[in-house]
Amino acid sequence: MKTILSQSLVIAALVFSALNFAQTTTTAPPKTAAIGTSKNWGSVDGISIIGWVQGPSSANTDLQVACVFEYTEGDIFNAPALPASLNGLVHLDEALKGELTNIRKSGQFQGHSLETILITPPAGSMSAKKLLLIGLGDRNKFTPDLMTSVGEVAAREAMRLGVANFAFASDLKDAGIDSPTALIAGNVVRGIVHANRSENYLKEHQLSTTKKIEKVYLLSGPAFFETAGGGISEAIAEVKKK
């Protein structure tokens, strides 16, 4: 009887330890990166793909790309959108003195899938010289696959504008979409590479004279930097094989 009781106590202790370990590992806070953290995750066809913990209103680049869904009242301000202190779209709206909301609410920019509009920010309002908005369409119909096409559009517009670099903010979580961070970042990279290779084909056949993009900065929040980097690295490795 003592032997059975002793074995039962040992098993109970092991089960408790396993449960305690599981709780510890599943509740550990996500690793965060400080604002301003950046890392070159690799290069493809001469374009450096850099992750950067920065907001779209503060990224100092030739061109800032930001993505928005078709407008719904208060969509970037109310839950499930990120809190204002962490929300890049809110910061962008504030930098433009509410004009991001105004052009969407008034229908000047409707945000249909892959629709674009180019904005020249007032001097001193934000760090980038130009702001390109790309529409994501109906938020209820969003799929990660769309971001490949969005990456293509961003790169093609950047080449058309003749910029050497641009920053890209998907802004999905800012808009309240619980998206797969690594897949989204990887798809954007896939789209950028495809657009660049298409442009290179045109140049080889004397059908284009656009300026080469040298750097792309993929912006992320502090909690998503490493996860996004994993998706970027995976996409870079994949497209290099093609």
Side-chain angles (χ1 to χ4, degrees), residues 4 15 32 42 48 50 70 79 86 107 140 142 153 212 236 241:
I4 294 174
V15 170
T32 60
S48 296
I50 303 167
E70 293 170 357
L86 300 173
N140 297 314
F142 175 78
V153 170
K212 180 177 177 56
I236 289 174
K241 295 177 181 179

Side-chain angles (χ1 to χ4, degrees), residues 93-114:
D93 191 55
E94 291 174 347
L96 297 174
K97 300 188 183 304
E99 286 300 334
L100 175 62
T101 293
N102 289 342
I103 64 172
R104 298 177 65 223
K105 188 173 184 177
S106 65
Q108 303 305 316
F109 178 70
Q110 297 184 30
H112 297 323
S113 182
L114 305 182

Side-chain angles (χ1 to χ4, degrees), residues 67-145:
C67 304
V68 292
F69 289 98
E70 293 170 357
Y71 181 77
T72 58
E73 188 65 33
D75 55 1
I76 68 173
F77 300 103
N78 303 325
L82 291 181
S85 60
L86 300 173
N87 194 313
L89 287 176
V90 171
H91 299 165
L92 199 56
D93 191 55
E94 291 174 347
L96 297 174
K97 300 188 183 304
E99 286 300 334
L100 175 62
T101 293
N102 289 342
I103 64 172
R104 298 177 65 223
K105 188 173 184 177
S106 65
Q108 303 305 316
F109 178 70
Q110 297 184 30
H112 297 323
S113 182
L114 305 182
E115 179 186 1
T116 64
I117 190 169
L118 183 66
I119 296 170
T120 301
S125 61
M126 54 182 290
S127 298
K129 299 177 180 66
K130 298 284 185 180
L131 171 63
L132 177 71
L133 299 182
I134 301 180
L136 299 175
D138 184 342
R139 66 177 55 240
N140 297 314
K141 297 178 180 179
F142 175 78
T143 67
D145 289 345

Side-chain angles (χ1 to χ4, degrees), residues 45 86 204:
D45 302 339
L86 300 173
E204 290 170 2

Side-chain angles (χ1 to χ4, degrees), residues 1-186:
M1 180 64 72
K2 289 183 178 180
T3 300
I4 294 174
L5 179 60
S6 177
Q7 290 175 341
S8 299
L9 290 173
V10 170
I11 292 171
L14 290 172
V15 170
F16 177 79
S17 297
L19 288 172
N20 185 57
F21 176 76
Q23 291 174 349
T24 301
T25 55
T26 56
T27 58
K31 184 178 180 181
T32 60
I35 299 294
T37 299
S38 65
K39 180 176 180 178
N40 186 342
W41 294 104
S43 298
V44 184
D45 302 339
I47 302 177
S48 296
I49 310 294
I50 303 167
W52 192 8
V53 181
Q54 192 58 270
S57 63
S58 302
N60 188 6
T61 55
D62 293 342
L63 173 69
Q64 174 64 58
V65 178
C67 304
V68 292
F69 289 98
E70 293 170 357
Y71 181 77
T72 58
E73 188 65 33
D75 55 1
I76 68 173
F77 300 103
N78 303 325
L82 291 181
S85 60
L86 300 173
N87 194 313
L89 287 176
V90 171
H91 299 165
L92 199 56
D93 191 55
E94 291 174 347
L96 297 174
K97 300 188 183 304
E99 286 300 334
L100 175 62
T101 293
N102 289 342
I103 64 172
R104 298 177 65 223
K105 188 173 184 177
S106 65
Q108 303 305 316
F109 178 70
Q110 297 184 30
H112 297 323
S113 182
L114 305 182
E115 179 186 1
T116 64
I117 190 169
L118 183 66
I119 296 170
T120 301
S125 61
M126 54 182 290
S127 298
K129 299 177 180 66
K130 298 284 185 180
L131 171 63
L132 177 71
L133 299 182
I134 301 180
L136 299 175
D138 184 342
R139 66 177 55 240
N140 297 314
K141 297 178 180 179
F142 175 78
T143 67
D145 289 345
L146 176 64
M147 298 310 293
T148 303
S149 296
V150 171
E152 288 186 47
V153 170
R156 292 188 197 284
E157 289 298 299
M159 289 184 283
R160 186 175 67 83
L161 291 168
V163 300
N165 60 75
F166 70 92
F168 182 95
S170 65
D171 295 310
L172 297 173
K173 288 183 169 57
D174 296 334
I177 300 297
D178 186 17
S179 55
T181 300
L183 179 58
I184 295 297

Side-chain angles (χ1 to χ4, degrees), residues 204-225:
E204 290 170 2
H205 292 79
Q206 290 77 51
L207 298 172
S208 176
T209 58
T210 58
K211 184 177 180 179
K212 180 177 177 56
I213 296 172
E214 299 173 0
K215 297 179 181 179
V216 176
Y217 298 89
L218 298 187
L219 307 186
S220 71
F224 308 109
F225 178 71

